Amino acid sequence: MTYCVGMRLDRGLVFMSDTRTNAGIDNISTYRKLFAWEDTDDSVITLLTAGNLATTQSVVSLIEERMKAPGDRSHAILGLPSMYQVASLVGQTLREVISQHAQTGQKADSAFNASIIVGGQVKGSEPRLFLVYPEGNFIEAGEDTPFLQIGETKYGRPILVRAYDPGMSFEAAVKLLLVSFDSTIKANLSVGLPIDVQIYERDTLRLGKRFRVRADDPYFRTISTGWGEALKTAFDSLPDPTF
Amino acid sequence: MTYCVGMRLDRGLVFMSDTRTNAGIDNISTYRKLFAWEDTDDSVITLLTAGNLATTQSVVSLIEERMKAPGDRSHAILGLPSMYQVASLVGQTLREVISQHAQTGQKADSAFNASIIVGGQVKGSEPRLFLVYPEGNFIEAGEDTPFLQIGETKYGRPILVRAYDPGMSFEAAVKLLLVSFDSTIKANLSVGLPIDVQIYERDTLRLGKRFRVRADDPYFRTISTGWGEALKTAFDSLPDPTF
């Protein structure tokens, strides 16, 4: 399993992913699931991946290979005229990789499926955020659904729904996402630290701050402990029922 | 889907269940999923059911029928010498009902599976709480895992893990469970009000308070609104990161 969230803010976009992968509970590894590229002053794209690791690594490798292919920019995700076309190309690539393995060769125990969150901005239009399905089609985050989750989405969702605010600062958004990730990590062994974070400030057309939160990160420990206490205080502040 | 929780406290047991059932999102009904019986001063048993409604209704009907069969108390769940034997009999009954339909007749689109939480007390021993699987085997709640959930368990779990305390009052436990149910109901359309509650105070060997919380219940509305605000306050009380 995996947990990744892409979030739309008035100020831009925030992306967060865990790094744990597993094939059974006795085969656990750490892999990056957050990828970002920029074509300075022209476009900025971030990807978050969940699902079959062989599939998502192939997709990312293909995207990178095609970006660098000299003379053939027709399949490159940087340089496209809109984020819609970027999402569409990521969808095509994902579908291509899955169908390569799913339709021929050995049947696998688990599906080759994967989902991808794609977000970014292309010069001349707004920042946009999409969730690409294994079939290659996709949905876009909007005002009513301003964040997209993939992987183990349930444990961390209630706090996102309650505390999200489009006007919040990047700092508050990172704090909110860390609380959501902490709840998920506490409940599901297949989601684990370190956590990767990527920030994109709208209209800069350059990748913003990117950092990794490790288990020994003092701020993460403050949040993890502090949230437990804050929740207890919040809970105690509600009146008891009478019966 | 469904959401039910059985919880062990120092003071006794608390049971809570929603009442929504669905076969597709366009076929929604309200059914009781909480059942309780007492054999005054001898034993008290509560059941919470999740899964295929035909299966769980059959199990409950069989349990009730066998309890009333004159002269045949050999299959009755009241009158057994221990809660272990009660859980075992519920497991056998569940397995019997599932196998009746699963092994013969038409294949169904969805499985006939169901899970049941059984809790109560038999004179001369402690209150005990079990989760019975469709296969008929079961696990027991203990000090380390003092509550058992069935159905849509994920959204409402983080708050249970953080705020549960074995020494809490019945009032606080009901408040905690209502917060957990509210988070789940807000996230999953297949879990819905009204909510049934049953309390059992240890060593009384009589069913305790039992009530239904409806959508217009003023206390539930206080909790539902108040929790959103309390969470925001809790969230704001944590320090922002710096980067």
Side-chain angles (χ1 to χ4, degrees):
Chain A
M1 204 45 112
T2 287
Y3 184 37
C4 300
V5 185
M7 186 178 271
R8 261 172 59 127
L9 300 173
D10 293 344
R11 287 176 169 75
L13 302 169
V14 183
F15 302 88
M16 196 175 282
S17 84
D18 83 317
T19 51
R20 183 163 293 173
T21 65
N22 70 303
I25 57 164
D26 56 352
N27 188 353
I28 291 174
S29 312
T30 301
Y31 279 97
R32 177 169 282 278
K33 304 173 193 174
L34 185 153
F35 306 88
W37 301 276
E38 59 180 353
D39 195 359
T40 317
D41 301 333
D42 206 43
S43 61
V44 173
I45 296 163
T46 302
L47 245 62
L48 299 170
T49 64
N52 186 292
L53 184 63
T55 298
T56 58
Q57 286 195 341
S58 277
V59 169
V60 172
S61 295
L62 277 175
I63 286 174
E64 297 207 311
E65 217 171 275
R66 287 169 181 175
M67 219 179 297
K68 287 167 192 159
D72 177 19
R73 298 273 287 177
S74 63
H75 288 292
I77 62 168
L78 287 175
L80 287 173
S82 74
M83 279 306 297
Y84 177 86
Q85 293 201 24
V86 170
S88 182
L89 185 56
V90 170
Q92 274 171 45
T93 313
L94 178 56
R95 196 184 154 138
E96 174 190 336
V97 171
I98 292 175
S99 66
Q100 222 167 34
H101 297 280
Q103 286 161 15
T104 58
Q106 250 180 282
K107 287 256 175 222
D109 283 345
S110 61
F112 300 106
N113 283 354
S115 304
I116 297 180
I117 290 175
V118 195
Q121 187 172 16
V122 169
K123 200 178 179 171
S125 56
E126 291 291 293
R128 292 173 77 177
L129 185 64
F130 300 89
L131 195 167
V132 181
Y133 294 108
E135 293 75 12
N137 57 353
F138 47 86
I139 56 168
E140 182 172 3
E143 269 174 41
D144 297 320
T145 305
F147 54 85
L148 298 170
Q149 302 170 287
I150 50 178
E152 177 54 82
T153 61
K154 296 186 178 183
Y155 298 107
R157 190 173 176 85
I159 182 63
L160 292 183
V161 172
R162 303 272 199 169
Y164 170 85
D165 172 19
M168 70 204 311
S169 65
F170 286 122
E171 284 78 9
V174 166
K175 181 172 81 168
L176 173 58
L177 287 169
L178 285 178
V179 168
S180 172
F181 271 67
D182 182 50
S183 294
T184 309
I185 287 169
K186 283 208 163 47
N188 188 328
L189 289 178
S190 73
V191 178
L193 292 153
I195 291 169
D196 284 325
V197 186
Q198 172 75 59
I199 287 167
Y200 172 68
E201 197 179 335
R202 65 178 298 146
D203 302 332
T204 56
L205 295 170
R206 280 165 193 258
L207 284 171
K209 285 259 161 49
R210 174 171 179 169
F211 52 92
R212 178 162 274 200
V213 179
R214 296 177 200 278
D216 58 359
D217 184 280
Y219 178 70
F220 182 73
R221 273 154 53 183
T222 306
I223 290 294
S224 182
T225 322
W227 183 241
E229 284 155 20
L231 268 189
K232 279 215 166 197
T233 311
F235 179 69
D236 291 339
S237 77
L238 295 177
D240 275 354
T242 45
F243 46 78
Chain B
M1 201 49 109
T2 286
Y3 183 38
C4 299
V5 185
M7 187 177 271
R8 260 172 59 128
L9 301 173
D10 293 344
R11 285 176 171 74
L13 302 169
V14 184
F15 302 87
M16 196 177 280
S17 84
D18 82 318
T19 50
R20 184 163 293 174
T21 65
N22 71 303
I25 57 165
D26 54 353
N27 189 352
I28 291 175
S29 313
T30 302
Y31 279 97
R32 178 169 281 278
K33 303 173 192 175
L34 185 153
F35 306 89
W37 301 276
E38 62 181 352
D39 195 358
T40 316
D41 300 334
D42 206 41
S43 61
V44 173
I45 296 164
T46 302
L47 245 62
L48 300 169
T49 63
N52 186 292
L53 184 64
T55 298
T56 58
Q57 285 195 342
S58 278
V59 169
V60 172
S61 296
L62 277 175
I63 287 175
E64 295 206 312
E65 217 171 276
R66 288 170 182 175
M67 220 180 300
K68 287 167 193 159
D72 176 20
R73 296 275 289 179
S74 62
H75 288 290
I77 62 167
L78 287 175
L80 287 172
S82 74
M83 279 305 298
Y84 177 87
Q85 293 199 23
V86 171
S88 183
L89 185 57
V90 170
Q92 275 170 43
T93 313
L94 178 56
R95 194 183 156 142
E96 174 189 334
V97 171
I98 293 175
S99 66
Q100 222 167 36
H101 298 282
Q103 286 162 14
T104 58
Q106 250 180 285
K107 287 256 174 220
D109 284 346
S110 62
F112 300 107
N113 283 354
S115 304
I116 297 180
I117 291 175
V118 195
Q121 185 170 19
V122 170
K123 198 177 181 173
S125 55
E126 292 291 293
R128 292 172 77 177
L129 186 62
F130 299 89
L131 194 167
V132 181
Y133 296 107
E135 292 75 13
N137 57 351
F138 47 86
I139 56 168
E140 182 172 2
E143 270 173 41
D144 297 320
T145 305
F147 54 85
L148 298 170
Q149 302 169 288
I150 50 178
E152 177 55 84
T153 60
K154 295 186 178 183
Y155 298 107
R157 190 173 176 84
I159 183 60
L160 293 183
V161 171
R162 303 272 199 170
Y164 170 84
D165 172 17
M168 71 205 310
S169 65
F170 286 123
E171 285 77 9
V174 167
K175 180 172 78 167
L176 174 57
L177 287 168
L178 285 178
V179 169
S180 173
F181 272 68
D182 182 51
S183 295
T184 308
I185 287 169
K186 282 207 162 48
N188 189 327
L189 288 179
S190 74
V191 179
L193 290 153
I195 291 168
D196 284 324
V197 186
Q198 172 73 60
I199 287 168
Y200 172 67
E201 197 178 335
R202 64 178 299 145
D203 302 333
T204 56
L205 294 168
R206 278 164 195 258
L207 284 171
K209 284 257 160 51
R210 174 172 180 168
F211 52 93
R212 177 163 276 200
V213 180
R214 296 177 200 277
D216 59 358
D217 183 280
Y219 178 71
F220 182 74
R221 273 154 54 182
T222 306
I223 290 294
S224 182
T225 322
W227 183 240
E229 284 155 19
L231 267 189
K232 280 217 166 195
T233 311
F235 179 69
D236 292 338
S237 77
L238 294 178
D240 274 354
T242 45
F243 45 77

